[in-house]
Amino acid sequence: MRPTIDEYFMELATVVAKRSTCLRNQVGAVVVKDKRILSTGYNGAPRNLPHCLEIGCIRQQNNIASGTRHELCRAVHAEQNAIIQAAIHGVSIEGATIYCTHQPCILCAKMLINADIKKVVFGTTYPDTEALKFFDKAGVVVEQLALKTES
């Protein structure tokens, strides 16, 4: 069966997530406007630094709960990397939609709001309700769309 446009781009976000080097959550993001992909991102260590796959996860080692102490993570989040890639390549994401395998955290929410993202479609919830409150106050449309699992 032919997927809806939201299902299509969400499926692409799940493919992007496969490049993630995070040991806890493999997250992918795809920024889209007018049914065109503008940028993608996945979570992993900053450029030229060792990945958690190679040296382990500081958050796991210190039993840091998901959704807390974001600053104690080596990874750049997928949404952040999608914004960075657009900036590096001179692509405006103003007014776009972002498809994320996971609900954005508060840090990513603030960045997406300032990048003028108009809609966020995510798959898996994240234990950070403040992000959803920020999106609501900023007038960003947020929708949850179940991720398709591979058979």
Side-chain angles (χ1 to χ4, degrees):
M1 186 161 94
R2 186 174 191 226
T4 67
I5 200 71
D6 284 343
E7 291 168 339
Y8 171 71
F9 287 120
M10 184 61 82
E11 190 170 333
L12 291 175
T14 63
V15 171
V16 171
K18 292 178 181 182
R19 289 282 304 150
S20 169
T21 60
C22 180
L23 295 171
R24 283 182 135 184
N25 288 307
Q26 287 67 50
V27 182
V30 177
V31 180
V32 175
K33 188 171 182 181
D34 299 326
K35 299 181 183 178
R36 303 274 185 252
I37 297 171
L38 302 177
S39 182
T40 66
Y42 53 87
N43 57 332
R47 184 184 313 266
N48 298 322
L49 293 180
H51 295 285
C52 295
L53 289 174
E54 301 163 354
I55 63 171
C57 174
I58 190 170
R59 293 178 62 83
Q60 281 181 340
Q61 293 162 0
N62 292 294
N63 295 316
I64 299 169
S66 183
T68 65
R69 304 294 312 267
H70 302 291
E71 75 280 8
L72 297 178
C73 180
R74 295 182 55 76
V76 178
H77 288 189
E79 303 91 330
Q80 295 167 351
N81 272 324
I83 292 168
I84 291 164
Q85 287 304 308
I88 285 172
H89 297 288
V91 176
S92 173
I93 58 174
E94 180 180 11
T97 296
I98 189 165
Y99 293 85
C100 307
T101 57
H102 293 65
Q103 173 201 312
C105 72
I106 187 67
L107 298 175
C108 290
K110 291 186 281 186
M111 291 179 171
L112 293 168
I113 290 165
N114 274 1
D116 201 23
I117 293 292
K118 295 298 183 194
K119 183 177 175 183
V120 174
V121 180
F122 71 90
T124 304
T125 58
Y126 188 70
D128 186 347
T129 57
E130 287 302 309
L132 297 177
K133 292 175 188 174
F134 267 58
F135 284 137
D136 184 54
K137 288 179 184 174
V140 176
V141 175
V142 177
E143 295 178 7
Q144 184 174 10
L145 180 65
L147 296 171
K148 303 259 180 173
T149 55
E150 292 183 31
S151 309

